[in-house]
Amino acid sequence: MSWDGEQLLLLDQTMLPHEERWLTLRDAEAVAVAIERLAVRGAPNIGIAGAYGLALALTGRPDLGTLESAWERLRHARPTAVNLAWAVDRVRDAALAAGPARMAAAARAEAQAVHALEDAASAALCTAGATLLAELLPRTPRRILTHCNTGALATGGAGSALGVIAALAGHGPVEVLACETRPLLQGARLTAWELGRLGLPHAVLADGAAAGLIARGEVDAVIVGCDRVAANGDTANKVGTYAHALAAAAAGIPFLVAGPTTTIDAALPDGAGIVIEERAAEEVTHLGGVAITPPGTPARNPAFDVTPAALVTALVTEAGVASPVDRATVAALLGASA
């Protein structure tokens, strides 16, 4: 992601790994559409893009009406990840505080501050997570399973869970199992693409194969990212995550969640209140535009599921590690990040 004050450049993730196509976005609507169609994705990156989108809206028309309509459009482009609302709220508040004459400049500065915060958070949490995993898993090579995509494509900086894995390679050999992540194959397309560029040994596997490999002792730990963390530590992440957490608990191996504190929704008591985005049925019934089910077959397509805090060995953030993961330790992380 690149920003020059007048336009936002995004690598279109829907085209990877076959084509590296960059999008040039010049207004809030274009950014909102890019978020909705997953051209940009990953909770922190969605927030960064949304922040720049609101700044773009004010570049040509720095007035209250433009601010409010663009803020509303961007804030609801995707409902589950809390980072989007957090980021556009920050930019809106900064613009309102600055007043009409300085509204556009204040929005641009705040969007850049959001980006810098997410970059710094990524660097700190990657170091913390790698240190923790190295302590939990003294024997090498360390065999780590992950789900969806949580590298630089999904966050500011180096990533969250995938960034932790990359940092862990500095502590000794690492072997990565990347779940394909149906239905849009973010693991097979994006995580494998990033792991190849990082030069880390890896293999892609069907989502349904993960539990069996964990049960057979072929995985030492599971680490995933997060789109929203409730105050009690319940975690929403890409659909399929809950199954990996159950398998890890049954096998007695660590299950870690990595993400910046901006992903924690302190106002939400527990995971029951997390809004789960239900996406188009065609994402399930079609592959590459080709139908894979009989005509007219109904489909369910929840994009996320919720993993209870009791199944999470540790929550890794830039402010430190919460373990056990409960209301008190989550609150302590938020206090440390303030």
Side-chain angles (χ1 to χ4, degrees):
M1 188 182 304
S2 175
W3 157 263
D4 67 4
E6 295 183 356
Q7 58 189 15
L8 180 63
L9 298 180
L10 292 175
L11 183 60
D12 187 346
Q13 296 187 31
T14 66
M15 305 303 295
L16 291 173
H18 305 297
E19 180 183 349
E20 295 184 27
R21 177 187 298 176
W22 287 83
L23 302 174
T24 301
L25 309 180
R26 296 186 174 90
D27 56 52
E29 178 61 23
V31 174
V33 170
I35 291 171
E36 287 170 340
R37 71 177 188 86
L38 307 186
V40 58
R41 41 150 300 284
N45 250 6
I46 289 172
I48 295 167
Y52 283 131
L54 192 50
L56 282 171
L58 296 173
T59 299
R61 295 184 59 188
D63 59 65
L64 184 59
T66 299
L67 174 65
E68 292 300 315
S69 62
W71 169 76
E72 184 74 20
R73 175 72 175 97
L74 287 161
R75 199 178 195 274
H76 298 99
R78 292 194 71 191
T80 299
V82 72
N83 307 64
L84 178 57
W86 168 82
V88 296
D89 286 356
R90 278 189 59 134
V91 174
R92 174 179 179 266
D93 291 347
L96 288 172
R102 297 193 63 256
M103 185 175 286
R108 289 194 296 270
E110 192 63 26
Q112 290 174 303
V114 166
H115 197 166
L117 280 170
E118 293 289 17
D119 281 357
S122 173
L125 75 86
C126 288
T127 298
T131 300
L132 175 62
L133 276 175
E135 293 172 352
L136 290 174
L137 309 172
R139 297 176 62 180
T140 61
R142 300 177 175 100
R143 302 165 301 172
I144 311 298
L145 184 139
T146 192
H147 189 71
C148 198
N149 172 256
T150 54
L153 289 173
T155 72
S160 57
L162 191 57
V164 169
I165 293 171
L168 181 63
H171 295 262
V174 173
E175 297 174 357
V176 187
L177 286 171
C179 292
E180 60 177 350
T181 319
R182 281 280 295 153
L184 295 180
L185 303 175
Q186 292 98 325
R189 295 188 302 106
L190 307 179
T191 299
W193 184 78
E194 290 201 72
L195 286 167
R197 290 166 70 93
L198 290 167
L200 293 179
H202 64 279
V204 172
L205 70 155
D207 295 348
L213 293 179
I214 290 170
R216 282 159 45 185
E218 296 189 32
V219 176
D220 298 314
V222 179
I223 183 167
V224 299
C226 49
D227 288 84
R228 188 179 296 235
V229 179
N232 72 335
D234 293 347
T235 301
N237 193 52
K238 183 57 59 183
V239 67
T241 299
Y242 181 33
H244 303 326
L246 289 169
I253 66 171
F255 179 89
L256 275 60
V257 174
T261 53
T262 53
T263 312
I264 299 173
D265 187 350
L268 196 65
D270 55 51
I274 297 176
V275 175
I276 301 299
E277 178 184 5
E278 184 99 15
R279 293 183 60 82
E282 287 74 16
E283 291 180 353
V284 175
T285 60
H286 289 65
L287 187 62
V290 178
I292 56 175
T293 59
T297 301
R300 292 294 307 277
N301 188 16
F304 304 91
D305 57 26
V306 176
T307 298
L311 295 177
V312 180
T313 306
L315 172 63
V316 180
T317 76
E318 79 280 9
V321 175
S323 182
V325 183
D326 55 23
R327 199 173 302 276
T329 53
V330 170
L333 287 180
L334 288 173
S337 68

